[in-house]
Amino acid sequence: MNERKSASNKPNNLVNVALVAAAVAFAAQPARADDPAKLLKAMADYTAAQKSISATFESDIEVVTPELEKIQFTSSGRMQLSRPDKLRISRTGGYTDVDFIYDGKTASIYGNNAKAYVQADLVGSIDQLVDLIQAKSGAAMPGTDLLLTNTYDVLMSNVVQAQHIGQGMIDGVECEHLAFRGADIDWQIWIESGARPVPRKYVITSKTVTGAPQYTLRIRDWKNDAVVEADTFVFKPPAGATKVDLDSGAMAEFDEIPPGTPSGAKK
């Protein structure tokens, strides 16, 4: 009887071993390979649907010296947005203290270090504003491509390869880690998992620049439907501030890196 019980248990033992082996093999597989374009599109649609947003951020820009030494410059700031045509970005670093304000009609940039500001009449949406400023002046506007209503189209315009790397943790929050390749730049983005797919980290690698410097943006305290005070998007020149032309040498004071520093990662 005991021998028969032992013999009858052998198939069950084999099944258990097979199930354990299958579980181990499954656990050893990479994280789910969701479509990276689909995940990015979900983020873009979600952020574009938000009428008002506020967030804080930290940005790092790397430069490579002629001696091939990498130097990194860091700044932090705050972003406030009210669609369709109001935006404020404040950024402070070791070499910059800048406030950018757009009220739908006028764009103002104030450099506290230079005690100077520039203004330009730019009537339109935030999308039109970003396109025009980047095209005309190349001004650094960290992560503004993540705030556009057509973010997906802009980000995917030069992509030749995309992959879902897996999951990552940013500030203790699980995120979907995506990587994209282009002819001149590679970029990565970490998007919060779940029902609130907001960007949490964004890294751009400039492949055509010696040393492949990177630009990194970390986004925190993202709030939708943020309460924004009425005067948030109104620029009032501080006492003693001087108005300068957009092409003035004083504009160098508005950059994230000190004058004379080699060019860094593209933003």
Side-chain angles (χ1 to χ4, degrees):
M1 177 68 74
N2 290 336
E3 289 180 359
R4 283 197 297 271
K5 284 185 179 180
S6 177
S8 66
N9 284 338
K10 285 183 180 179
N12 290 335
N13 290 338
L14 291 175
V15 170
N16 290 338
V17 170
L19 289 174
V20 171
V24 171
F26 180 80
Q29 292 178 353
R32 63 183 186 275
D34 292 320
D35 182 356
K38 182 179 179 181
L39 291 169
L40 185 69
K41 185 67 163 57
M43 181 210 77
D45 290 347
Y46 180 85
T47 56
Q50 308 308 316
K51 298 303 181 184
S52 62
I53 301 170
S54 71
T56 59
F57 64 86
E58 293 179 355
S59 62
D60 302 321
I61 184 169
E62 291 181 343
V63 299
V64 181
T65 70
E67 294 76 25
L68 300 182
E69 179 183 11
K70 268 189 180 181
I71 305 295
Q72 190 175 85
F73 297 92
T74 300
S75 61
S76 61
R78 185 184 185 192
M79 178 278 298
Q80 295 166 283
L81 171 152
S82 180
R83 298 193 194 280
D85 59 359
K86 292 177 175 58
L87 178 66
R88 181 167 190 163
I89 300 175
S90 303
R91 188 180 74 245
T92 303
Y95 301 92
T96 184
D97 187 354
V98 177
D99 208 5
F100 173 87
I101 301 172
Y102 181 59
D103 62 5
K105 297 179 180 179
T106 304
S108 306
I109 306 176
Y110 172 69
N112 188 50
N113 293 339
K115 295 295 186 288
Y117 66 96
V118 296
Q119 286 186 309
D121 294 328
L122 299 172
V123 179
S125 65
I126 293 172
D127 292 12
Q128 293 169 320
L129 166 79
V130 172
D131 287 344
L132 188 58
I133 288 182
Q134 291 183 341
K136 285 195 171 185
S137 69
M141 300 181 69
T144 47
D145 48 356
L146 301 177
L147 304 174
L148 304 176
T149 56
N150 62 338
T151 289
Y152 178 80
D153 295 333
V154 171
L155 291 178
M156 292 294 289
S157 61
N158 296 309
V159 169
V160 297
Q161 181 182 345
Q163 55 182 323
H164 177 232
I165 303 299
Q167 280 66 48
M169 298 294 289
I170 305 296
D171 294 326
V173 177
E174 184 179 270
C175 297
E176 305 299 331
H177 180 192
L178 313 180
F180 300 84
R181 305 209 73 190
D184 297 329
I185 65 170
D186 294 340
W187 54 278
Q188 302 173 68
I189 191 166
W190 286 255
I191 300 171
E192 185 172 324
S193 303
R196 201 181 77 129
V198 301
R200 300 295 300 247
K201 184 178 178 181
Y202 184 39
V203 177
I204 300 171
T205 303
S206 298
K207 298 188 292 185
T208 58
V209 179
T210 301
Q214 292 185 324
Y215 182 85
T216 301
L217 182 68
R218 293 176 297 280
I219 303 171
R220 298 186 173 95
D221 305 317
W222 182 290
K223 294 182 177 65
N224 299 323
D225 299 322
V227 177
V228 181
E229 299 297 331
D231 62 351
T232 296
F233 306 106
V234 177
F235 175 66
K236 298 177 181 178
T242 303
K243 186 174 182 179
V244 297
D245 294 331
L246 189 61
D247 58 356
S248 168
M251 281 296 293
E253 298 290 341
F254 299 156
D255 206 349
E256 291 181 82
I257 58 178
T261 304
S263 297
K266 294 180 180 179
K267 295 178 283 296

